[in-house]
Amino acid sequence: MNSDRPRNFASDNNAGVCPEAWEAMARANADHSPAYGSDDDTKAACDAIRDIFETGCEVFFVFNGTAANSLALATLCQSYHSVICHQIAHIETDECGAPEFYSGGSKILLVDGPHGKVSPDAVESTVHRRNDLHFPKPKVVSVTQSTEVGTVYDPEEVRRIGAITHGLGLSLHMDGARFANALAELHCSPKDITWRAGVDVLCLGGTKNGLAVGEAVVFFNRDRAREFEYRCKQAGQLCSKMRYLSAPWLGVLRDGAWLRHAAHANAMARRLEEGLAAIDDVGIAFPRQANAVFARFDDRVISGLYSRGWQFYDFIAAGGCRLMCSWDTAPADVDAFLHDVRELVHSTEDQRPAFPVQQH
Ligand SMILES: *Cc1c(COP(=O)(O)O)cnc(C)c1O
C-alpha cells in the first residue's frame, strides 16, 4: 500500500482490489470476446454463483449496489406498491430515492427493530395496519445482510422473516452488499440464508469485498428475472465489455477467496472490538458480528483521532463511530489505532476535527 495513503477505517470500499480479482481481470484482457455478456467469462461467473448457491438461479452483473437494489425492487413492485425495510436500511438512507425512482413511485415503509434488524412481527403489523386502497400496498420486505450496523441475521431469523413475508403474499429481497461477511461469520451454506429461507432476490456485493466494481443480482425466484436485462439496459447498467465486470467474480469465487477475504475483515474487526472493549471510557454500541465495530468515544478522543489522520464516520443515528475493516486491513493497522485511542483517552490533548464527512 502507498504509505502516503494509509489504510483507514472509513469504509470497506476505500480498500483497493484484491489480487484474485486483479489477476482475473488481467486474464480476461486477451484477444477479442463477445460483448454484452455473451462471453465465456460471464457464463462461467454465472455458473460459479449457481454452484455456490446450489440452485439454478438467474444472475446479472451491474456496476453498483444502488442499481442492484433499486432495479431488483423495481422488478418486484408496481408503482402503487410499497417496500418494508428497517429505518436505517441503505435503500432508505443512502440511495437518493433510486428505489422509488426506478419503481416509478413504490413507497418505502420503515420499521424499527434492535440491532438494525427487521423483525417478523414488525412485518406483520405493518402489513395489517392498512389494507384499503388508499395506502400503497406492501409487496416486498427488504433485509440487509450483514446489516448497516454490522450485525447478522442467522438462518432461523431469515427463515422466520421469509415465512411471514411469503405467508402475507410478499416477496423477500436481501441487500447483500456485505453478504460474504455475514456468511463468513455464520459458517452455514449460502443456500441456508437465501433461497431455502425464503429470499427471492439477493443483491450480492462484490465491491466491498475486494472487487474494483460490481455487484451481482441473483434471482432465486427465476420468474421474477423475466426481462430484467431490459431494466439493466434502460438504467445504463448493462456493461458492454461485460467480461471485465464478470471475470473478477470468477477470480474471487474460485478457491473461496471471497470468503477468506470476508473472514479476514471480520477477524480484524474482532481484534479491534476486543482491544476497544479493554479500554475504559470506550463503549461498543452493537454486537460485532461482521466487519464493523461501532464505538462510542468522547468528542475529544474523536477529534484527536481525526487530527492524527484516522478516518471513520461518526454518524449519530447509528450510535457512535463506525470503524469498518476490509480485506486488506492489517493487524498492525488495528494495533496502531488502538494505541492512539489509549493515548487519547488518557491524555488531555485538545484537537480539532480534520476528517470531512462525505460518503459512506
Ligand atoms: C455499500 C452498500 C450498498 C451499495 O452502495 P453503492 O455505493 O451503490 O455501491 C448497498 N447496501 C449497503 C448496505 C451498503 O453498505
Side-chain angles (χ1 to χ4, degrees), residues 42-58:
T42 302
K43 288 189 194 115
C46 291
D47 284 340
I49 289 176
R50 290 181 192 115
D51 285 348
I52 277 168
F53 288 97
E54 301 177 63
T55 186
C57 44
E58 296 284 350

Side-chain angles (χ1 to χ4, degrees), residues 13 64-67 69 90 95 144 148 175 177-178 208 215:
N13 61 26
N64 56 44
T66 298
N69 285 334
H90 197 272
E95 299 190 354
T144 309
E148 287 76 2
D175 175 350
R178 298 188 179 92
K208 285 174 177 146
E215 318 278 294

Side-chain angles (χ1 to χ4, degrees), residues 80 82 107 109 126 129-138:
Y80 51 84
S82 52
K107 189 178 171 74
L109 304 179
T126 304
R129 197 166 60 221
R130 288 281 296 270
N131 52 16
D132 57 277
L133 66 79
H134 301 271
F135 193 74
K137 186 178 181 186

Side-chain angles (χ1 to χ4, degrees), residues 337-348:
F337 184 81
L338 289 170
H339 171 269
D340 280 356
V341 173
R342 271 186 226 107
E343 271 195 0
L344 287 160
V345 164
H346 298 125
S347 86
T348 51

Side-chain angles (χ1 to χ4, degrees), residues 38-315:
S38 307
D39 61 288
D40 291 343
D41 284 317
T42 302
K43 288 189 194 115
C46 291
D47 284 340
I49 289 176
R50 290 181 192 115
D51 285 348
I52 277 168
F53 288 97
E54 301 177 63
T55 186
C57 44
E58 296 284 350
V59 180
F60 302 86
F61 298 101
V62 296
F63 294 108
N64 56 44
T66 298
N69 285 334
S70 304
L71 299 176
L73 291 170
T75 297
L76 300 175
C77 285
Q78 297 288 332
S79 56
Y80 51 84
H81 285 144
S82 52
V83 177
I84 299 171
C85 69
H86 197 278
Q87 61 182 3
I88 58 166
H90 197 272
I91 58 168
E92 159 70 8
T93 64
D94 290 285
E95 299 190 354
C96 197
E100 293 92 330
F101 176 77
Y102 282 112
S103 62
S106 300
K107 189 178 171 74
I108 307 274
L109 304 179
L110 304 179
V111 297
D112 199 1
H115 301 155
K117 294 189 200 175
V118 172
S119 73
D121 288 350
V123 170
E124 192 160 35
S125 63
T126 304
V127 172
H128 286 145
R129 197 166 60 221
R130 288 281 296 270
N131 52 16
D132 57 277
L133 66 79
H134 301 271
F135 193 74
K137 186 178 181 186
K139 196 65 181 173
V140 180
V141 174
S142 176
V143 293
T144 309
Q145 176 78 311
S146 54
T147 71
E148 287 76 2
V149 293
T151 56
V152 164
Y153 291 90
D154 66 31
E156 185 50 34
E157 287 176 304
V158 185
R159 246 192 319 271
R160 264 189 261 124
I161 293 171
I164 285 278
T165 299
H166 289 289
L168 292 164
L170 281 66
S171 303
L172 185 57
H173 163 261
M174 180 175 275
D175 175 350
R178 298 188 179 92
F179 182 83
N181 301 94
L183 195 58
E185 200 71 5
L186 290 168
H187 300 292
C188 63
S189 75
K191 66 182 173 204
D192 287 339
I193 45 168
T194 54
W195 60 272
R196 265 200 178 165
V199 173
D200 295 291
V201 184
L202 167 70
C203 295
L204 177 60
T207 312
K208 285 174 177 146
N209 195 25
L211 264 57
V213 54
E215 318 278 294
V217 184
V218 182
F219 285 89
F220 300 110
N221 182 340
R222 300 180 69 171
D223 292 346
R224 312 316 293 259
R226 216 159 41 86
E227 300 185 349
F228 189 73
E229 62 271 29
Y230 287 89
R231 272 188 201 285
C232 292
K233 176 65 192 180
Q234 185 183 51
Q237 290 285 327
L238 178 65
C239 181
S240 60
K241 289 189 179 177
M242 185 69 92
R243 60 182 147 152
Y244 297 100
L245 212 52
S246 57
W249 280 97
L250 266 183
V252 296
L253 294 178
R254 205 182 281 140
D255 308 330
W258 70 306
L259 286 181
R260 270 200 309 282
H261 289 318
H264 171 81
N266 293 359
M268 291 301 98
R270 188 178 315 121
R271 186 185 186 100
L272 188 54
E273 177 200 30
E274 288 169 359
L276 291 172
I279 303 172
D280 287 343
D281 302 328
V282 175
I284 306 286
F286 300 98
R288 184 225 53 89
Q289 295 172 333
N291 58 328
V293 179
F294 285 78
R296 295 191 200 281
F297 301 123
D298 283 352
D299 288 348
R300 192 180 52 78
V301 173
I302 295 174
S303 333
L305 288 167
Y306 286 160
S307 324
R308 290 179 184 209
W310 292 108
Q311 297 181 10
F312 51 86
Y313 293 101
D314 52 357
F315 28 125

